[in-house]
Amino acid sequence: MVADLFTHHGEQTRQRLAPLADRLRPRSLDEFVGQGAILAEGRLLRRAIAADRVGNLLLHGPPGVGKTTLARIIANHTRAHFSSLNAVLAGVKDLRTEVDAARQRLERHGLRTILFIDEVHRFNSAQQDALLPWVENGTLTLIGATTENPYFEVNKALVSRSRLFRLQALEPSDLERLLERALTDPAHGYGNRSVTISQEAASHLVDVAAGDARSLLNALELAVESTPVDDDGTVRIDLTIAEESIQQRAVLYDKQGDAHFDTISAFIKSLRGSDADAALFWLARMIEAGENPRFIFRRMLIAAGEDVGLADPQAVVVVEACAAAFERIGLPEGLYPLAQAALYLACTDKSNSTIGIFEAIKSVSSAQKQEVPSHLRDANRDGDAFGDGQGYRYPHAFREHWVAQQYLPSALQGEAFWTPGHQGWEGQRRERMLERRAAQLAAAAEAVDDHPLLVSSGPERPQMERWLQRQLAQDGERLQALRKRLWADLPWKRTDRVLLLGGRSLLWALDPLAAVAEGGVTILCHSREDQDRLEAQLQLLDPLHRPTLLSGVAELDTLANEHRFEVIGGRLSQEDLATASDLEFWNRVASHCYPGSRLRLLISAPELGPAAACEESGAADQLNASDQQILQSLITQERAWLNHLQSGDQLRPSLESTGWQLSLEHWSETLGLPLDPPLIERWLGEGRPYRQRLETNRDHPATDLQLLRRLLEQRRGGTLPQRLRHQRLTGHWLSPAALESSGP
């Protein structure tokens, strides 16, 4: 009892004396700031946390973005036992202790164990191997946090069994929210003290923290605790105090990690793209971070052969001479030849004619027994998993071996680090470089990020893949072609949240389910019966990967206000169009859209009714004059009914008035319908729409039905001609305010 009392007192003292960054650590997802790409309402990780089905996770990102905090939030939401280790302090013995305890909990009480390992990359290969069997058999669920690239620093077997999430540096708006919370929270921040901060000081703290919440809060704590109160009892933080509290932005750079590879990649691509300003910026970043200049010179020699080549044979000579000069004079004066080599490569003509070496390689590859010894092979990095480098435009694919694109960070667009002179070699290129700089600024202003940074990756989903294949096999080629046309040219993102309208069939959901592994799919069913039928078809799927089924547009209101959809789509039947033409329907949908949300809708309508189809098939050739007269009357009536069917044209006013900018595509399809009893009943069965129209609008419906059924039965087992008109509505959503400001 006494020990417990002292322990409780010690814990209270620790919490009271803990740094501000630790005291303000969020305790729930609602308090968590930033990382909307993976934690927004409706996205996979948030759903998994809420359902307590997180599984093995690796959280990867720079310091101060919430990796450990997110793990603690998961601990607060889970019904499993939660343990944690720090890989800097723990060893194999500690791992064995955790494994033994986890095994006993599972065997004796059926209680799962989640083990959180901070700085998991600090475990050596043997320590990581010791985890693998217990993660494999489910004794432990692993959550690892690392600032390093897990594909490079974590056991590949662990990576393959885990879902990876990349956390990004926080946005300035996120840091501003944290700063406001720190100043107003009476329990964990400075809400119970009189503290004021000037706008200039706050802006400086946010800017220099550079996306690192811990850095921001540590600087604020230093400023508050080291500043005396004034006569009013208030701590006033001005720009001078803020600058003393956080003086310099940390350059995040690990010579063996992503920053090393990504920065040299940006430098080389800036040289290839003839952007001297960006080349100097990335060069300065590497030098400031302590990169070895010899490594930089080696890469510039490669660029001189690969990207300049024979267009300027002097390039390799200049770089080699600058490297030799650097060896003689060293730093800091060696910065001159280093910059001279970079500027020369950026400004000179470009050619990739030396690519002919690959033709020689192709010849060599045809020989047998050419395997590279294992100690000479280079491990693949994570380009395919995270999409790094996507969207880069290769200058050699364009005329003059140059294309206007962005090389500097977005925040530095327009900065001119190099001003070319008028003399000699430099003067000859001055006008061209200034023209290219202007073209790049124009391109950056109009750029659209078609290849955003992917923030997560995970193991394969064999259950989902098998289910998708079974669903694909159930529908004919014609419907598969329509499905592909519906979703054609839509650039899926893994984190997209998709709302499917007209939920009668899962066919139209197959593409979204395969594409949005970290997002989610919601299907708006036409009726409760449709919802129950689709629910039964989805039972084989893991609940975490099943789409959410809603019955009727009113159930959209059951979603959280923050649950927004990036894609709206589906195939609408005539019954769906009757509802979807209503303005209120699209107002409800728009309340869950983002500006820029994309639309893909398919609308199909027949051009022949059963009477007209019978005539075209020749089934009516032997009819007597009286029956022919009845048939022609039916055909006339069918055409009138078909002309009044809803189409995308009727839908368009409601869509446009709620902010959708649209394009409408038309095409026709001719096909033969297999004439079997289900098809006949679909037209003439009790309660079917076609039969209801006959019974409502015809003078002798029984005679009409008898004639049609006789004609259709004569063709049973054959085919009946049909023509369909299809419409595909595509577009994107603007808020009404944005729509008004855009003008006509």
Side-chain angles (χ1 to χ4, degrees):
M1 182 68 179
V2 175
D4 291 342
L5 184 62
F6 279 110
T7 301
H8 177 69
H9 178 72
E11 180 64 19
Q12 287 186 320
T13 303
R14 188 199 66 76
Q15 291 180 1
R16 187 176 66 255
L17 299 178
L20 176 64
D22 188 64
R23 300 200 307 271
L24 274 180
R25 196 183 293 275
R27 290 157 178 79
S28 70
L29 285 175
D30 292 334
E31 295 179 3
F32 195 87
V33 174
Q35 312 306 334
I38 60 175
L39 283 172
E41 284 285 352
R43 292 216 162 105
L44 178 69
L45 184 54
R46 192 181 188 100
R47 300 200 317 270
I49 293 173
D52 193 14
R53 293 176 58 86
V54 171
N56 299 312
L57 292 183
L58 290 176
L59 305 175
H60 164 219
V65 298
K67 299 185 297 297
T68 303
T69 297
L70 186 54
R72 292 189 180 184
I73 289 174
I74 292 172
N76 292 337
H77 282 76
T78 185
R79 291 182 293 275
H81 179 83
F82 190 90
S83 299
S84 63
L85 292 175
N86 190 303
V88 177
L89 305 174
V92 172
K93 180 180 178 182
D94 302 289
L95 282 177
R96 287 174 179 165
T97 300
E98 291 292 342
V99 168
D100 289 340
R103 189 171 59 243
Q104 291 180 20
R105 289 187 206 102
L106 191 62
E107 293 173 353
R108 295 179 182 178
H109 310 291
L111 183 64
R112 296 180 298 115
T113 297
I114 295 178
L115 177 62
F116 171 63
I117 302 180
D118 203 4
E119 304 294 337
V120 67
H121 64 279
R122 296 297 188 102
F123 273 164
N124 59 34
S125 180
Q127 290 169 314
Q128 293 184 33
D129 286 342
L131 273 173
L132 187 58
W134 313 111
V135 171
E136 177 78 25
N137 65 20
T139 302
L140 287 174
T141 297
L142 171 68
I143 299 179
T146 174
T147 56
E148 303 301 319
N149 188 330
Y151 278 88
F152 195 71
E153 299 291 343
V154 178
N155 183 313
K156 287 183 172 56
L158 283 179
V159 170
S160 70
R161 289 160 176 80
S162 305
R163 187 168 294 280
L164 274 61
F165 287 94
R166 180 174 358 198
L167 278 66
Q168 305 300 305
L170 298 184
E171 297 293 330
S173 59
D174 298 328
L175 295 179
E176 289 166 1
R177 287 172 57 195
L178 284 175
L179 190 60
E180 177 68 20
R181 183 188 298 172
L183 294 173
T184 57
D185 188 330
H188 305 103
Y190 295 117
N192 56 358
R193 296 174 59 177
S194 180
V195 178
T196 63
I197 183 169
S198 70
Q199 183 60 49
E200 295 82 1
S203 297
H204 176 78
L205 292 178
V206 168
D207 178 56
V208 181
D212 185 334
R214 188 182 296 108
S215 176
L216 172 79
L217 295 175
N218 287 345
L220 176 65
E221 184 176 28
L222 177 61
V224 172
E225 301 298 343
S226 63
T227 302
V229 299
D230 61 12
D231 295 337
D232 298 332
T234 299
V235 176
R236 302 185 188 278
I237 302 173
D238 56 20
L239 180 59
T240 301
I241 296 173
E243 289 176 338
E244 291 173 350
S245 301
I246 183 168
Q247 299 179 356
Q248 186 174 359
R249 180 181 285 106
V251 178
L252 297 177
Y253 196 92
D254 185 335
K255 295 180 186 178
Q256 300 301 320
D258 279 357
H260 164 80
F261 290 99
D262 291 345
T263 307
I264 193 64
S265 174
F267 175 62
I268 294 301
K269 289 173 180 175
S270 300
L271 296 179
R272 184 185 296 142
S274 302
D275 190 324
D277 299 313
L280 282 185
F281 173 81
W282 297 119
L283 177 63
R285 189 175 190 272
M286 289 187 288
I287 294 299
E288 185 70 11
E291 184 63 84
N292 188 340
R294 293 183 180 88
F295 167 75
I296 301 173
F297 272 119
R298 285 198 300 272
R299 295 306 302 264
M300 285 196 288
L301 278 170
I302 294 170
E306 179 184 358
D307 295 312
V308 177
L310 297 179
D312 184 354
Q314 288 298 309
V316 68
V317 178
V318 170
V319 176
E320 180 63 28
C322 288
F326 181 89
E327 291 295 332
R328 295 186 66 177
I329 60 180
L331 290 172
E333 290 83 356
L335 290 175
Y336 292 116
L338 197 61
Q340 182 178 345
L343 289 173
Y344 189 95
L345 290 179
C347 298
T348 195
D349 295 328
K350 304 294 190 297
S351 169
N352 65 339
S353 60
T354 54
I355 202 171
I357 182 63
F358 294 103
E359 290 299 320
I361 292 173
K362 187 183 295 184
S363 299
V364 172
S365 66
S366 63
Q368 300 297 316
K369 302 298 183 183
Q370 293 290 316
E371 295 83 4
V372 176
S374 60
H375 67 282
L376 296 180
R377 295 176 184 174
D378 184 21
N380 290 326
R381 296 185 60 79
D382 64 333
D384 290 338
F386 281 142
D388 296 342
Q390 289 187 12
Y392 168 64
R393 303 172 73 190
Y394 190 56
H396 297 310
F398 295 83
R399 192 175 59 173
E400 297 184 6
H401 294 261
W402 180 84
V403 60
Q405 65 178 329
Q406 181 175 336
Y407 293 99
L408 278 170
S410 298
L412 294 176
Q413 285 305 305
E415 293 286 345
F417 299 103
W418 178 64
T419 302
H422 294 273
Q423 292 79 27
W425 177 90
E426 191 175 65
Q428 296 171 13
R429 289 158 177 80
R430 174 184 169 84
E431 292 302 321
R432 182 175 64 179
M433 296 303 295
L434 291 178
E435 288 174 2
R436 288 181 172 179
R437 180 178 290 166
Q440 283 174 296
L441 287 175
E446 299 176 2
V448 176
D449 188 7
D450 287 330
H451 300 277
L453 189 66
L454 295 182
V455 293
S456 69
S457 174
E460 297 297 325
R461 301 179 296 165
Q463 182 191 47
M464 171 67 84
E465 294 301 323
R466 289 194 298 270
W467 184 86
L468 288 171
Q469 291 302 320
R470 283 196 296 271
Q471 297 299 318
L472 285 168
Q474 292 175 10
D475 296 291
E477 293 183 6
R478 189 184 71 82
L479 285 179
Q480 299 296 350
L482 283 176
R483 174 183 61 82
K484 291 178 181 178
R485 189 152 185 175
L486 169 63
W487 300 117
D489 70 26
L490 182 65
W492 293 107
K493 301 173 186 174
R494 290 172 62 89
T495 55
D496 279 342
R497 289 160 293 184
V498 183
L499 175 63
L500 285 175
L501 309 179
R504 286 181 169 80
S505 166
L506 291 175
L507 172 67
W508 316 103
L510 300 184
D511 292 73
L513 286 171
V516 296
E518 316 304 336
V521 177
T522 299
I523 301 178
L524 194 61
C525 301
H526 179 75
S527 65
R528 185 70 65 182
E529 291 74 18
D530 288 331
Q531 182 179 4
D532 293 341
R533 179 170 46 80
L534 296 186
E535 187 74 52
Q537 296 178 41
L538 293 167
Q539 288 304 308
L540 293 176
L541 279 183
D542 185 312
L544 197 57
H545 296 127
R546 291 177 197 167
T548 300
L549 301 181
L550 304 179
S551 177
V553 69
E555 290 200 7
L556 282 176
D557 296 340
T558 64
L559 300 177
N561 291 333
E562 298 79 15
H563 193 138
R564 304 299 175 94
F565 297 102
E566 286 81 10
V567 178
I568 313 293
R571 188 184 190 189
L572 299 182
S573 69
Q574 288 298 308
E575 292 173 280
D576 299 322
L577 285 170
T579 302
S581 298
D582 181 28
L583 186 61
E584 178 59 26
F585 177 92
W586 289 107
N587 280 329
R588 291 198 184 201
V589 172
S591 68
H592 289 278
C593 290
Y594 286 113
S597 291
R598 295 152 287 163
L599 181 75
R600 296 293 187 277
L601 291 177
L602 178 64
I603 301 164
S604 303
E607 293 185 339
L608 293 178
C614 285
E615 183 184 51
E616 289 202 6
S617 71
D621 290 348
Q622 305 302 318
L623 289 179
N624 59 41
S626 175
D627 287 345
Q628 279 285 1
Q629 187 176 0
I630 295 173
L631 184 65
Q632 292 305 316
S633 176
L634 274 172
I635 291 172
T636 301
Q637 191 101 47
E638 284 179 354
R639 287 172 180 162
W641 294 336
L642 292 174
N643 287 337
H644 285 85
L645 289 180
Q646 294 271 10
S647 69
D649 300 294
Q650 283 80 32
L651 198 58
R652 194 164 189 162
S654 296
L655 280 162
E656 291 180 337
S657 64
T658 51
W660 291 94
Q661 292 196 330
L662 302 171
S663 296
L664 189 58
E665 175 188 1
H666 302 259
W667 74 97
S668 296
E669 179 186 17
T670 301
L671 65 151
L673 296 176
L675 193 50
D676 53 16
L679 179 61
I680 297 174
E681 292 306 310
R682 198 171 77 193
W683 278 321
L684 307 183
E686 194 72 40
R688 301 304 298 172
Y690 183 87
R691 178 167 177 166
Q692 288 178 335
R693 290 192 184 96
L694 288 180
E695 293 172 341
T696 303
N697 299 286
R698 299 284 292 176
D699 294 333
H700 304 286
T703 303
D704 299 335
L705 285 169
Q706 184 180 14
L707 174 63
L708 280 176
R709 189 174 290 277
R710 177 158 50 89
L711 291 174
L712 293 172
E713 289 290 347
Q714 289 175 5
R715 300 284 299 179
R716 198 167 85 171
T719 59
L720 204 64
Q722 180 58 277
R723 291 190 295 275
L724 296 175
R725 60 178 184 272
H726 300 292
Q727 292 179 310
R728 179 174 177 258
L729 272 168
T730 64
H732 62 279
W733 187 74
L734 296 175
S735 65
L739 192 63
E740 290 177 10
S741 64
S742 65

